[in-house]
Amino acid sequence: MGKYIVKRILITIPVLLMVTVFCFIIVNLAPGDPTDLYISENATEQQIAQMRSSLGIDQPFPIQYFKWLLNLVQGNLGFSFASRLPVIDVLPTKIIATVTLMASTLLVSYLLAIPLGIISARKQNGFVDNLITGVSFLGISIPNFFFGLALIYIFALQLGVLPTGGMETLGGSGGLVDRMQHLILPTIVLAAFYCSNMIRYVRASMIDIFAENYMRTATAKGLKETLILWGHGVRNAWVPIITVISTDIPKMLGGAIVTEQIFQWPGIGQWMISAINARDYPVLMAINLVAAVSVLVFNLLADLLYAAVDPRIRY
């Protein structure tokens, strides 16, 4: 197992480098010049050249990339074009905000999805199964921006029981209760999709498991239904479920962009929209790096969990 982990880590290094090269090219080839946003229309050629030099974009792409890579190795992600603050100083606060939203979303999603998926599989083609399946298709189909605006209109504007957005009340104490209230609506919006998606996977996995011979053998032996379900059924269904979870977590970084923008949640998603509008290359590269690392890390964790839940898998 140790050799396998080392091998996977060594493989991820060139993959990560290729991802950063691709992202750097795409970001720098985007239409527009950052200097247009930070200098007046009447600026002279000399002033424009000075601004480009101060932003570090006056040199060819390969030189810019290798300078960025050298700074990255030293723990420096550059300065934000918009705020002129070190990206490495701002990034942790944005990650914490997004991770908080992701954690609450995943907790709600999987606590609901796993039992509902099992119930749906047990009641296959019955009323309960059709009801759960229908609601899950609705949760997958409804757009985040529409659902989010609908919840704001109902619970914030009409009922006035929840805040419209932000992470805490401006001028308030910023305590746990206040943050939990701000977390409810964006969590519901994100959980609607991820819970519905997981229900479908759990249902399909459990239907396949229930048809296996060892499940019928366990029933014929007179084992308790709960032991058969959790000891033989759910345990063997974990491999596809882990696969979905390992893809959901990195995907949520992108899926949270719309939700964070709607609810003005100060996480990576909202920061990315601001960086795109400001052509803030260092911020965009930092966000792309975080997304790439999260994908590689959770894919590795998924492979390790496969061996933990299924003894037949060996590395």
Side-chain angles (χ1 to χ4, degrees):
M1 180 67 77
K3 291 182 179 179
Y4 174 77
I5 295 174
V6 172
K7 182 180 178 181
R8 282 295 301 269
I9 292 174
L10 293 176
I11 291 174
T12 60
I13 294 174
V15 172
L16 190 58
L17 283 174
M18 291 301 298
V19 170
T20 59
V21 170
F22 180 76
C23 291
F24 192 87
I25 293 173
I26 294 297
V27 166
N28 282 273
L29 289 180
D33 191 329
T35 56
D36 295 339
L37 301 175
Y38 307 112
I39 200 168
S40 67
E41 296 179 359
N42 301 323
T44 63
E45 291 294 331
Q46 183 180 2
Q47 290 173 328
I48 293 174
Q50 289 176 347
M51 176 59 70
R52 291 180 61 84
S53 177
S54 68
L55 296 178
I57 57 174
D58 59 329
Q59 295 176 325
F61 287 172
I63 296 177
Q64 291 184 45
Y65 173 75
F66 283 112
K67 282 188 174 181
W68 177 85
L69 190 61
L70 181 61
N71 289 332
L72 175 64
V73 173
Q74 297 173 353
N76 179 14
L77 292 173
F79 287 81
S80 168
F81 290 171
S83 65
R84 305 304 294 174
L85 295 174
V87 175
I88 195 68
D89 292 343
V90 182
L91 185 61
T93 61
K94 302 298 182 181
I95 291 178
I96 290 172
T98 296
V99 168
T100 301
L101 180 57
M102 289 172 57
S104 65
T105 299
L106 293 174
L107 183 64
V108 171
S109 298
Y110 297 151
L111 285 179
L112 290 175
I114 293 175
L116 287 176
I118 295 172
I119 293 171
S120 183
R122 293 288 289 174
K123 307 292 183 181
Q124 185 181 3
N125 298 326
F127 172 77
V128 174
D129 179 30
N130 292 331
L131 178 63
I132 294 175
T133 303
V135 172
S136 66
F137 274 115
L138 178 64
I140 293 172
S141 303
I142 189 168
N144 279 7
F145 68 89
F146 176 79
F147 192 31
L149 293 175
L151 291 180
I152 289 174
Y153 177 76
I154 295 171
F155 293 100
L157 299 181
Q158 295 298 316
L159 301 178
V161 294
L162 292 172
T164 57
M167 196 171 179
E168 56 187 30
T169 303
L170 293 176
S173 60
L176 178 61
V177 175
D178 183 49
R179 292 205 172 189
M180 291 290 289
Q181 289 177 337
H182 285 79
L183 195 59
I184 291 174
L185 293 185
T187 297
I188 292 174
V189 172
L190 283 175
F193 173 81
Y194 290 100
C195 179
S196 302
N197 190 49
M198 178 58 76
I199 285 174
R200 295 168 60 237
Y201 279 98
V202 173
R203 177 184 181 275
S205 298
M206 291 305 298
I207 287 175
D208 290 339
I209 294 297
F210 287 144
E212 294 289 343
N213 290 330
Y214 61 80
M215 294 292 287
R216 287 193 287 267
T217 302
T219 303
K221 287 167 119 179
L223 298 178
K224 292 183 180 179
E225 186 176 355
T226 53
L227 179 60
I228 296 173
L229 178 62
W230 294 101
H232 297 279
V234 175
R235 182 177 179 181
N236 287 283
W238 269 115
V239 170
I241 293 174
I242 289 172
T243 304
V244 178
I245 294 175
S246 66
T247 56
D248 274 353
I249 296 176
K251 207 163 43 174
M252 199 173 291
L253 286 172
I257 291 176
V258 176
T259 304
E260 287 187 1
Q261 191 69 12
I262 292 172
F263 293 99
Q264 295 300 297
W265 189 264
I268 289 179
Q270 190 188 40
W271 198 30
M272 186 173 187
I273 295 295
S274 301
I276 292 172
N277 292 331
R279 300 188 184 99
D280 200 340
Y281 296 164
V283 170
L284 291 174
M285 284 301 300
I287 294 173
N288 286 323
L289 181 65
V290 170
V293 170
S294 67
V295 170
L296 295 173
V297 168
F298 283 105
N299 281 338
L300 175 60
L301 288 177
D303 287 345
L304 298 180
L305 287 173
Y306 291 154
V309 302
D310 191 343
R312 295 171 297 179
I313 298 176
R314 288 289 179 266
Y315 298 115

